């Protein structure tokens, strides 16, 4: 006697349904699974459009007839032997969607179905003609049902529940339906959940939770909707999760071995897929109160469509004397036949439009209340076998399908107001308003900036008015200075030629010698410089006065646009001229200092060595003056010795940036000679340079200061002092802020000199010196790249020496540190 077993989901399919051979797939024509309309019908059941934007509350629904397809199972091994001398009891005409049932060798009956599937039909084709229209309706918001009915062993479970793990082409309707649902929903706004149940001996059991074996059915008294609140609902995110759920359910489903089927289902399997989708309702058009013809539309309301797909694998109907069921299996067979009989009675009552439909005779009919005569789109596939020994069961199955085709449902969409979606929409609108407010604030700030710029342009216009006068005065001072120097040189040459030693000494005693002329010229240059400074102060006072007057003037309006452009151009010219004038003033100051030094030297030489030596002493200052006339500076070493280092360093702290720049240049030139570096450091020159580099934002000052530090960094002792006073970090910060290639070149040169000191390797790494050096390679300027390459070479030498001692720093460099090196190599 056969005994009950549990499915493991991996055994052979029920009914020994063979997959379609590739050679026969081309012989099957494609048919759409549509309802066949009787000639007397005035409407097209099921042909109404599915996609609707209005709520179902105000509609009676869309009529849709139950669609029925028949599928023939090929002969199994037992039938091929036992019925070898007999023809099949059915003959299929798929082109005409007809089926002939042979009563005997000369008589047959013909039945029409919505679709006729031969034994060669593939699983994909079965899904497309039977289940796909229902799945599409579910995605549109309708409930849907796909059910398999037939004698045991005819392939119902193969058609619906085949997992297809070994052969993907053998996947059943359950797997393919879920694949399509997941492919057409958005998991961000939609949700899909699954329940898997079995109806065994009139008891609803949860296949996903076997301990939950007595689930009650709850009906809504208002709408009549059936629900199972005690069932397990699992949200599905992908196909892998769904396949795992199916395997779990199949393993818990009850099956047994009978004479008709080695793996006969002893329960009805029900897979419920709940789909929740967010949509927008139709725009409500409202007439205007003042004008009947004008309308305005309210924004669409966010709605939630809740639909349910029910996939039912019915247990096979069987005759006890054929299946050999006895004992507990006999009780199972009775329960199966009773529930199927109750389903048949309901379908008969619906097909005949009976006033009473006995849906409460079985839990199966209660669960399928919405599928037959309800609001769901329903597709039924009836499976039959070819064996003439089971002609009675085949006839009963065909007649069940014929009666089911007469059942008409009224399809309705279940929609609810989506409060969550509306909340999200309002949040989005709020974010847009905030962004718009920020944009308007930005426009306001830009307008304020524009007004400030116009004010600055007007100030610049006032400054430009004085540009011509300042330029003329500068040229005049320069010409007078050049003329006085020229006359001085001519007078000195003339005195050398005409006067002897005694005469020269006498002139010296009378105070009329060349030294006296130099003193007079120096005094004249001082007067010119003071005059220039006085004029500059007056111009600055006038500019300040005009600025105060400008603040009281009203805006010029839109008509002054072109005038502002002209003023901006003139202002740029004035800035350039002003810069040139300031540079000339620095030159005058420097040259005045040089002339003072030369005059003092000449007086000392005349007083100490007499006339003969005085000529020798006079030759050097005159040559320096001559160099000054030719546009060259006095040798830095002589200036350093005669003027004094403290005076030069004092100029570093001058409020005039140009004076500071000129002083830094002098210090940089002094630092280029190793003999002067120690004296500069002892006098506090290094500290003053670092203070300038830290406090000034001017690009020119930072450039010349970096150059001076680079010269001082050539000495090993100075390198350690630079490290102690935070020079490495300061140079790194300067490199990150600088944009001028010349400034980057000076900073790179300073860091490159520091890279040659073995003692500074760790500090260079920790305080960002190496990173800053590598970062300057992105500039791409050849001079900067050469300094970076020199620094890397120095660092590599120290690394080579450190690796010999077992210490290495380059190994600690990160990928981001090495990217500029790669860039440098490519360049």
């Amino acid at each position: 006697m056969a005994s009950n077993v549990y499915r493991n989901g991996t055994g052979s399919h029920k009914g020994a349904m063979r997959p379609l051979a590739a050679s026969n797939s081309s012989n099957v024509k494609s048919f759409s699974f549509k309802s066949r309309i009787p000639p007397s019908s005035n409407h097209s059941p099921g042909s109404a459009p599915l996609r609707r934007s209005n709520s179902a509350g105000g509609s009676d629904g869309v009529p849709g007839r139950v669609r029925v397809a028949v599928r023939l199972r090929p002969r199994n091994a037992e039938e091929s032997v036992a019925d070898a001398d007999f023809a099949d009891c059915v003959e299929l005409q798929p082109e005409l969607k007809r089926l002939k049932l042979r009563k005997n060798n000369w008589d047959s009956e013909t039945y029409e179905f919505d679709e006729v599937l031969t034994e060669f039909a593939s699983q994909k084709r079965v899904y497309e003609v039977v289940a796909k229209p229902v799945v599409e309706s579910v995605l549109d918001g309708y409930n849907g049902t796909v059910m398999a009915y037939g004698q045991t062993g005819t392939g119902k479970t193969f058609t619906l529940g085949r997992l297809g793990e070994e052969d993907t082409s053998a996947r059943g309707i359950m797997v393919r339906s879920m694949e399509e649902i997941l492919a057409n929903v958005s998991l961000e706004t939609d949700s899909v959940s699954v329940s898997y149940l079995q109806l065994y001996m009139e008891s609803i059991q949860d296949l996903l939770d076997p301990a939950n074996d007595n689930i009650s059915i709850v009906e809504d008294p208002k709408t009549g909707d059936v629900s199972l609140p005690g069932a397990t609902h699992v949200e599905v995110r992908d196909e892998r999760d769904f396949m795992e759920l199916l395997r779990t359910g199949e393993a818990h489903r009850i099956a047994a071995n009978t004479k008709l089927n080695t793996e006969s289902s002893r329960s009805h399997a029900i897979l419920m897929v709940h789909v929740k989708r967010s949509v927008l309702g139709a725009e409500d058009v409202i007439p205007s109160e003042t004008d009947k013809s004008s309308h305005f539309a309210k924004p669409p309301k966010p709605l939630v469509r809740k639909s349910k797909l029910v996939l039912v694998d019915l247990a096979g109907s069987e005759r006890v004397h054929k299946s050999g069921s006895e004992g507990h299996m006999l009780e199972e067979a009775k329960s199966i036949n009773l529930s199927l009989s109750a389903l048949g009675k309901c379908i008969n009552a619906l097909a005949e439009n009976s006033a009473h439909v006995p849906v409460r005779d079985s839990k199966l009919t209660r669960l399928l209340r919405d599928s037959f005569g309800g609001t769901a789109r329903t597709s039924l596939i009836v499976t039959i076998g070819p064996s003439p020994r089971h002609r009675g069961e085949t006839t009963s199955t065909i007649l069940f399908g014929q009666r089911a085709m007469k059942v008409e449902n009224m399809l309705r969409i279940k929609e609810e107001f989506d409060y969550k979606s509306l909340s999200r929409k309002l949040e989005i609108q709020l974010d847009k308003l905030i962004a718009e407010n920020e944009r308007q604030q930005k426009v306001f700030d830009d307008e304020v900036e524009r007004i400030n710029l116009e004010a600055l342009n007007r100030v610049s216009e006032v400054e430009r008015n004085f540009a011509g006068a300042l330029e003329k005065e500068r040229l005049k001072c320069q010409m007078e200075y050049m003329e006085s120097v020229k006359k001085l040189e001519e007078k000195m040459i003339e005195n050398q030629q005409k006067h002897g030693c005694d005469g020269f000494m006498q002139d010296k005693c009378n105070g009329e010698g060349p030294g006296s002329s130099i003193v007079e010229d120096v005094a004249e240059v001082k007067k010119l410089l003071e005059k220039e400074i006085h004029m500059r102060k007056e111009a600055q006072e006038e500019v300040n006065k005009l600025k105060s007057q400008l603040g009281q003037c009203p805006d010029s309006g839109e008509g002054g646009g072109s005038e502002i452009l002209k003023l901006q151009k003139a202002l740029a010219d004035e800035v350039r001229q002003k810069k040139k004038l300031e540079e000339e003033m620095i030159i005058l100051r420097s040259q005045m200092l040089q002339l003072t030094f030369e005059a003092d030297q000449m007086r000392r030489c005349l007083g100490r060595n007499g006339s003969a030596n005085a000529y020798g002493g006079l030759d050097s200052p005159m040559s320096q003056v001559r160099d000054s006339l030719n546009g060259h500076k006095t040798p830095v070493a002589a200036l350093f010795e005669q003027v004094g280092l403290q005076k030069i360093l004092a100029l570093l702290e001058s409020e005039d940036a140009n004076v500071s720049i000129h002083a830094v240049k002098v210090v940089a030139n002094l630092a280029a000679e190793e003999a002067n570096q120690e004296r500069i450091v002892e006098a506090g020159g290094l500290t003053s340079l670092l203070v300038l580099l830290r406090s000034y934002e001017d690009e020119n000052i930072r450039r010349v200061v970096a150059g001076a530090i680079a010269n001082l960094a050539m000495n090993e002792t100075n390198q350690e002092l630079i490290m102690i006073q935070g020079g490495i970090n300061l140079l790194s910060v300067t490199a990150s802020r600088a944009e001028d290639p010349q400034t980057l070149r000076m900073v790179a040169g300073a860091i490159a000199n520091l890279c040659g000191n073995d003692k500074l390797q760790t500090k260079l790494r920790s305080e960002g010196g190496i990173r800053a050096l590598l970062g300057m390679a992105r500039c791409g300027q050849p001079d900067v790249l050469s300094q970076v390459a020199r620094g890397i070479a120095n660092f590599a030498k120290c690394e080579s020496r450190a690796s010999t001692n077992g210490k290495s720093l380059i190994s600690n460099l990160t990928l981001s540190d090495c990217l500029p090196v790669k860039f440098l190599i490519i360049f």
Side-chain angles (χ1 to χ4, degrees), residues 67-73 89-90 92 99 101 109 111-113 115 147-156 260 314-319 322 337 340 343-344 347-348 372 380-387 390-405:
R67 299 171 180 177
V68 182
V70 61
R71 186 181 192 185
L72 176 64
R73 172 183 61 76
C89 66
V90 293
L92 303 184
L99 178 148
L101 178 63
E109 293 181 352
Y111 301 94
E112 290 187 1
F113 290 91
E115 194 67 43
M147 186 170 64
Y149 177 90
Q151 182 189 8
T152 181
T154 54
K156 298 183 298 301
L260 297 178
L314 295 175
S317 60
E318 61 183 51
R319 295 187 179 180
K322 290 185 178 182
N337 290 335
L340 293 177
L343 177 62
I347 290 178
N348 288 338
F372 294 95
L380 173 67
I381 179 169
V382 294
T383 58
I384 58 177
S387 175
H390 306 301
R391 181 180 288 109
E393 289 83 351
T394 302
T395 302
S396 175
T397 301
I398 292 173
L399 293 177
F400 179 88
Q402 288 289 301
R403 290 190 297 270
M405 290 178 63

XYZ file of all heavy atoms in Angstrom, residues 67-73 89-90 92 99 101 109 111-113 115 147-156 260 314-319 322 337 340 343-344 347-348 372 380-387 390-405:
511
model
N -11.126 32.366 -19.064
C -10.501 31.815 -20.266
C -9.932 30.446 -19.944
O -9.303 30.253 -18.906
C -9.390 32.735 -20.752
C -9.910 34.121 -21.114
C -8.781 35.060 -21.385
N -9.262 36.392 -21.733
C -8.480 37.438 -21.959
N -7.175 37.291 -21.844
N -9.005 38.600 -22.277
N -10.162 29.516 -20.866
C -9.810 28.115 -20.609
C -8.938 27.621 -21.745
O -9.242 27.829 -22.927
C -11.064 27.236 -20.471
C -10.666 25.791 -20.163
C -11.969 27.773 -19.372
N -7.831 26.982 -21.373
C -6.944 26.327 -22.339
C -6.826 24.865 -21.955
O -6.908 24.513 -20.762
C -5.567 26.996 -22.340
N -6.642 24.007 -22.936
C -6.483 22.582 -22.699
C -5.081 22.178 -23.143
O -4.586 22.637 -24.182
C -7.566 21.767 -23.440
C -7.495 21.973 -24.940
C -7.455 20.283 -23.085
N -4.431 21.330 -22.344
C -3.070 20.870 -22.669
C -3.044 19.347 -22.604
O -3.478 18.738 -21.616
C -2.051 21.442 -21.687
C -0.621 21.112 -22.070
C 0.385 21.668 -21.068
N 1.737 21.580 -21.595
C 2.840 21.891 -20.914
N 2.722 22.325 -19.656
N 4.024 21.786 -21.467
N -2.507 18.749 -23.644
C -2.424 17.288 -23.735
C -1.052 16.834 -23.271
O -0.034 17.361 -23.715
C -2.661 16.839 -25.177
C -2.509 15.343 -25.450
C -3.577 14.552 -24.687
C -2.603 15.054 -26.950
N -1.062 15.853 -22.354
C 0.205 15.265 -21.906
C 0.603 14.150 -22.859
O -0.238 13.357 -23.297
C 0.031 14.710 -20.484
C 1.233 13.900 -20.016
C 1.020 13.303 -18.646
N -0.095 12.388 -18.553
C -0.107 11.138 -19.008
N 0.953 10.641 -19.622
N -1.166 10.381 -18.848
N -7.269 8.845 -27.315
C -8.701 9.100 -27.204
C -9.073 10.514 -27.616
O -10.263 10.839 -27.714
C -9.182 8.813 -25.785
S -8.478 9.951 -24.565
N -8.074 11.367 -27.831
C -8.350 12.745 -28.243
C -7.528 13.070 -29.481
O -6.457 12.500 -29.727
C -8.021 13.747 -27.118
C -8.970 13.562 -25.952
C -6.591 13.610 -26.662
N -6.265 16.655 -31.414
C -6.177 18.104 -31.257
C -6.107 18.784 -32.609
O -5.459 18.287 -33.547
C -4.930 18.479 -30.434
C -4.816 17.855 -29.040
C -3.589 18.398 -28.342
C -6.062 18.136 -28.221
N -10.870 20.447 -30.165
C -10.439 19.158 -29.633
C -11.534 18.139 -29.952
O -12.714 18.395 -29.682
C -10.201 19.268 -28.132
C -9.783 18.003 -27.370
C -8.874 18.385 -26.208
C -11.013 17.272 -26.804
N -12.971 14.430 -29.149
C -12.941 13.333 -28.188
C -13.605 12.110 -28.827
O -14.803 12.131 -29.140
C -13.683 13.731 -26.908
C -13.768 12.661 -25.829
C -12.380 12.295 -25.308
C -14.658 13.149 -24.684
N -16.762 13.611 -30.575
C -17.379 14.883 -30.241
C -16.319 15.993 -30.297
O -15.166 15.785 -29.899
C -17.995 14.824 -28.839
C -19.171 13.875 -28.743
C -19.766 13.851 -27.350
O -19.136 14.462 -26.443
O -20.824 13.231 -27.150
N -15.003 19.933 -29.281
C -15.113 20.992 -28.277
C -14.155 22.130 -28.649
O -13.056 21.890 -29.148
C -14.755 20.463 -26.877
C -15.645 19.320 -26.426
C -15.266 17.994 -26.622
C -16.852 19.571 -25.779
C -16.066 16.954 -26.204
C -17.656 18.536 -25.351
C -17.274 17.232 -25.562
O -18.067 16.206 -25.142
N -14.610 23.322 -28.402
C -13.778 24.502 -28.663
C -13.296 25.112 -27.342
O -14.060 25.189 -26.375
C -14.557 25.559 -29.441
C -14.849 25.179 -30.868
C -15.462 26.329 -31.646
O -15.632 27.409 -31.038
O -15.749 26.137 -32.836
N -12.034 25.544 -27.362
C -11.431 26.213 -26.198
C -10.751 27.505 -26.650
O -10.588 27.753 -27.848
C -10.410 25.288 -25.515
C -11.033 24.115 -24.807
C -11.230 22.897 -25.461
C -11.440 24.233 -23.486
C -11.808 21.829 -24.813
C -12.024 23.161 -22.831
C -12.209 21.958 -23.485
N -7.690 28.109 -26.116
C -6.386 27.719 -26.620
C -6.255 26.218 -26.479
O -6.689 25.627 -25.479
C -5.262 28.417 -25.844
C -3.904 28.333 -26.494
C -3.838 29.114 -27.798
O -4.362 30.252 -27.833
O -3.285 28.593 -28.771
N -5.275 28.717 -12.691
C -5.560 27.456 -12.000
C -5.392 26.304 -12.975
O -5.734 26.406 -14.165
C -6.989 27.481 -11.443
C -7.324 26.283 -10.579
S -8.908 26.497 -9.720
C -10.045 26.574 -11.101
N -4.851 25.191 -12.456
C -4.684 23.965 -13.245
C -5.619 22.888 -12.701
O -5.641 22.623 -11.491
C -3.228 23.503 -13.190
N -6.397 22.274 -13.610
C -7.387 21.266 -13.231
C -7.192 20.066 -14.140
O -6.931 20.204 -15.344
C -8.806 21.826 -13.374
C -9.906 20.835 -13.065
C -10.400 20.709 -11.772
C -10.445 20.036 -14.060
C -11.413 19.808 -11.481
C -11.451 19.125 -13.785
C -11.940 19.009 -12.491
O -12.936 18.114 -12.204
N -7.349 18.852 -13.576
C -7.248 17.660 -14.406
C -7.078 16.411 -13.582
O -6.936 16.445 -12.346
N -7.089 15.280 -14.289
C -6.921 13.999 -13.635
C -5.514 13.905 -13.051
O -4.574 14.540 -13.533
C -7.153 12.869 -14.651
C -7.039 11.471 -14.059
C -7.068 10.393 -15.134
O -7.031 10.720 -16.328
N -7.139 9.132 -14.750
N -5.342 13.115 -12.016
C -4.024 12.937 -11.428
C -3.060 12.350 -12.450
O -3.426 11.456 -13.238
C -4.115 12.028 -10.190
O -2.826 11.889 -9.626
C -4.678 10.648 -10.536
N -1.867 12.892 -12.463
C -0.839 12.396 -13.368
C -0.863 13.017 -14.748
O -0.169 12.525 -15.647
N -1.633 14.067 -14.985
C -1.699 14.666 -16.331
C -0.804 15.899 -16.472
O -0.818 16.533 -17.527
C -3.148 15.041 -16.668
O -3.666 15.883 -15.632
C -4.012 13.795 -16.807
N -0.040 16.275 -15.434
C 0.946 17.338 -15.606
C 0.552 18.688 -15.056
O 1.077 19.712 -15.524
N -0.327 18.732 -14.075
C -0.720 20.036 -13.508
C 0.449 20.687 -12.765
O 0.744 21.872 -12.956
C -1.913 19.840 -12.561
C -3.163 19.300 -13.217
C -4.305 19.204 -12.259
C -4.044 18.243 -11.107
N -3.765 16.849 -11.575
N -1.568 5.533 -10.378
C -1.632 6.450 -11.515
C -0.474 7.440 -11.553
O -0.197 8.009 -12.601
C -2.967 7.215 -11.473
C -4.219 6.369 -11.617
C -5.465 7.257 -11.512
C -4.227 5.618 -12.945
N -4.365 22.431 -8.349
C -5.354 21.538 -7.727
C -4.831 20.108 -7.694
O -4.098 19.675 -8.601
C -6.670 21.588 -8.501
C -7.407 22.922 -8.490
C -8.620 22.849 -9.407
C -7.835 23.290 -7.068
N -5.206 19.383 -6.635
C -4.906 17.949 -6.592
C -5.739 17.240 -7.660
O -6.853 17.660 -7.990
C -5.213 17.396 -5.205
N -5.212 16.161 -8.189
C -5.878 15.484 -9.299
C -7.090 14.686 -8.863
O -7.087 14.035 -7.809
N -8.146 14.790 -9.708
C -9.314 13.929 -9.452
C -8.932 12.487 -9.802
O -8.148 12.238 -10.720
C -10.496 14.398 -10.306
O -10.157 14.331 -11.687
N -9.454 11.531 -9.065
C -9.062 10.122 -9.276
C -10.227 9.199 -8.895
O -11.082 9.553 -8.084
C -7.831 9.771 -8.457
C -8.015 9.926 -6.949
C -6.751 9.632 -6.187
O -5.692 10.221 -6.554
O -6.814 8.842 -5.229
N -10.215 8.063 -9.510
C -11.158 6.998 -9.159
C -10.401 5.979 -8.334
O -9.304 5.538 -8.681
C -11.748 6.366 -10.404
C -12.600 7.353 -11.201
C -13.327 6.697 -12.352
N -14.155 7.675 -13.071
C -14.914 7.366 -14.130
N -14.944 6.108 -14.589
N -15.630 8.296 -14.705
N -8.947 2.801 -9.687
C -7.801 2.939 -10.586
C -6.537 3.358 -9.838
O -5.437 2.944 -10.172
C -8.107 3.956 -11.681
C -9.133 3.469 -12.690
C -9.292 4.494 -13.811
C -10.279 3.996 -14.864
N -10.422 4.963 -15.989
N -11.790 14.728 -3.843
C -12.937 14.644 -4.752
C -14.099 15.501 -4.264
O -14.822 16.104 -5.068
C -13.378 13.191 -4.913
C -12.362 12.365 -5.702
O -11.602 12.922 -6.499
N -12.357 11.058 -5.476
N -13.256 19.147 -5.131
C -13.373 19.373 -6.576
C -14.830 19.324 -7.012
O -15.240 20.066 -7.914
C -12.546 18.327 -7.338
C -11.029 18.419 -7.157
C -10.335 17.291 -7.912
C -10.519 19.768 -7.658
N -16.353 22.597 -6.175
C -15.930 23.598 -7.166
C -16.728 23.444 -8.452
O -17.157 24.441 -9.051
C -14.431 23.454 -7.434
C -13.839 24.388 -8.493
C -13.998 25.857 -8.064
C -12.357 24.065 -8.728
N -16.957 22.197 -8.861
C -17.751 21.977 -10.066
C -19.181 22.463 -9.915
O -19.763 23.031 -10.847
N -19.239 26.238 -10.290
C -19.067 26.655 -11.687
C -20.339 26.378 -12.473
O -20.755 27.183 -13.328
C -17.845 25.938 -12.293
C -16.559 26.502 -11.660
C -17.804 26.086 -13.799
C -15.291 25.842 -12.143
N -21.004 25.256 -12.196
C -22.266 24.971 -12.881
C -23.302 26.042 -12.554
O -24.038 26.520 -13.432
C -22.791 23.598 -12.469
C -21.955 22.477 -13.072
O -21.271 22.678 -14.078
N -22.007 21.299 -12.463
N -14.006 32.930 -9.553
C -15.146 32.518 -10.382
C -16.369 33.308 -9.955
O -16.885 33.130 -8.861
C -15.407 31.010 -10.259
C -14.303 30.169 -10.811
C -13.308 29.682 -9.980
C -14.237 29.882 -12.161
C -12.279 28.910 -10.482
C -13.223 29.107 -12.680
C -12.232 28.628 -11.848
N -7.933 29.316 -16.737
C -7.962 27.922 -16.308
C -7.286 27.079 -17.373
O -7.592 27.217 -18.572
C -9.415 27.466 -16.100
C -9.621 25.973 -15.811
C -9.023 25.601 -14.454
C -11.123 25.628 -15.851
N -6.358 26.240 -16.962
C -5.754 25.289 -17.889
C -6.124 23.889 -17.419
O -5.895 23.530 -16.253
C -4.222 25.471 -17.977
C -3.639 24.441 -18.950
C -3.543 25.425 -16.612
C -2.190 24.707 -19.305
N -6.781 23.148 -18.298
C -7.176 21.774 -17.991
C -6.202 20.841 -18.688
O -5.864 21.025 -19.866
C -8.627 21.496 -18.425
C -9.581 22.328 -17.602
C -8.842 21.780 -19.899
N -5.704 19.873 -17.945
C -4.714 18.934 -18.471
C -5.368 17.569 -18.627
O -6.102 17.100 -17.747
C -3.510 18.834 -17.529
O -3.953 18.429 -16.235
C -2.806 20.190 -17.409
N -5.069 16.944 -19.762
C -5.662 15.643 -20.066
C -4.558 14.713 -20.543
O -3.472 15.155 -20.940
C -6.766 15.746 -21.142
C -6.186 16.357 -22.428
C -7.922 16.582 -20.628
C -7.182 16.422 -23.572
N -4.850 13.410 -20.486
C -3.935 12.407 -20.991
C -4.484 11.753 -22.255
O -5.690 11.774 -22.510
N -3.638 11.107 -23.052
C -4.090 10.524 -24.324
C -4.633 9.097 -24.195
O -5.179 8.562 -25.163
C -2.805 10.548 -25.158
C -1.716 10.341 -24.151
C -2.176 11.024 -22.893
N -4.485 8.469 -23.040
C -4.801 7.043 -22.932
C -6.301 6.790 -23.060
O -7.100 7.453 -22.392
C -4.299 6.512 -21.585
O -4.699 5.159 -21.423
N -8.516 6.004 -19.859
C -9.019 7.047 -18.964
C -9.939 8.005 -19.714
O -9.970 9.191 -19.440
C -7.847 7.819 -18.353
C -6.835 6.948 -17.663
N -7.165 6.123 -16.598
C -5.507 6.735 -17.914
C -6.080 5.475 -16.202
N -5.063 5.820 -16.994
N -10.719 7.447 -20.682
C -11.594 8.297 -21.480
C -12.638 8.969 -20.592
O -13.013 10.125 -20.802
C -12.288 7.463 -22.565
C -13.202 8.327 -23.460
C -13.889 7.502 -24.537
N -12.941 7.089 -25.565
C -12.515 5.848 -25.730
N -12.926 4.886 -24.894
N -11.657 5.550 -26.685
N -13.130 8.297 -19.569
C -14.135 8.883 -18.682
C -13.590 10.091 -17.925
O -14.238 11.149 -17.848
N -12.391 9.964 -17.343
C -11.795 11.100 -16.643
C -11.495 12.245 -17.592
O -11.677 13.431 -17.259
C -10.509 10.657 -15.933
C -10.741 9.766 -14.746
C -10.926 8.298 -15.141
O -11.041 8.016 -16.354
O -10.970 7.442 -14.233
N -11.031 11.908 -18.805
C -10.738 12.956 -19.797
C -12.013 13.690 -20.180
O -12.037 14.924 -20.301
C -10.082 12.331 -21.036
O -8.880 11.648 -20.642
C -9.761 13.397 -22.063
N -13.099 12.946 -20.364
C -14.374 13.578 -20.721
C -14.841 14.512 -19.605
O -15.287 15.640 -19.849
C -15.441 12.511 -20.982
O -14.996 11.649 -22.026
C -16.760 13.147 -21.374
N -14.728 14.064 -18.354
C -15.141 14.898 -17.229
C -14.307 16.179 -17.153
O -14.841 17.260 -16.894
C -15.001 14.101 -15.920
O -15.288 14.912 -14.810
N -13.011 16.078 -17.423
C -12.150 17.257 -17.381
C -12.523 18.246 -18.477
O -12.583 19.471 -18.245
C -10.678 16.835 -17.533
O -10.333 15.926 -16.480
C -9.754 18.040 -17.495
N -12.800 17.723 -19.687
C -13.155 18.603 -20.813
C -14.469 19.321 -20.528
O -14.617 20.525 -20.778
C -13.222 17.783 -22.112
C -11.818 17.301 -22.491
C -13.842 18.611 -23.235
C -11.808 16.347 -23.677
N -15.454 18.583 -19.974
C -16.735 19.204 -19.685
C -16.597 20.254 -18.582
O -17.278 21.281 -18.592
C -17.749 18.130 -19.274
C -18.140 17.140 -20.388
C -19.100 16.083 -19.849
C -18.780 17.895 -21.562
N -15.684 20.033 -17.607
C -15.435 21.034 -16.571
C -14.909 22.323 -17.201
O -15.350 23.432 -16.843
C -14.431 20.468 -15.563
C -14.093 21.426 -14.458
C -14.857 21.466 -13.303
C -13.019 22.296 -14.566
C -14.554 22.347 -12.279
C -12.700 23.181 -13.551
C -13.470 23.207 -12.402
N -14.002 22.201 -18.128
C -13.481 23.376 -18.810
C -14.528 24.090 -19.630
O -14.558 25.335 -19.682
N -15.423 23.315 -20.294
C -16.474 23.933 -21.089
C -17.436 24.738 -20.221
O -17.852 25.835 -20.599
C -17.235 22.835 -21.846
C -16.453 22.209 -22.982
C -16.276 23.152 -24.159
O -17.244 23.636 -24.752
N -15.017 23.448 -24.477
N -17.762 24.214 -19.047
C -18.660 24.951 -18.167
C -17.965 26.203 -17.603
O -18.588 27.251 -17.428
C -19.137 24.047 -17.024
C -20.085 22.955 -17.463
C -20.713 22.260 -16.273
N -19.711 21.572 -15.450
C -19.349 20.302 -15.647
N -19.889 19.593 -16.638
N -18.460 19.753 -14.864
N -16.678 26.079 -17.335
C -15.959 27.227 -16.785
C -15.885 28.379 -17.781
O -15.829 29.555 -17.382
C -14.548 26.812 -16.369
N -15.895 28.098 -19.075
C -15.831 29.152 -20.090
C -17.084 30.021 -20.081
O -17.083 31.121 -20.638
C -15.635 28.543 -21.482
C -14.262 27.937 -21.703
S -14.091 27.185 -23.338
C -14.283 28.606 -24.388
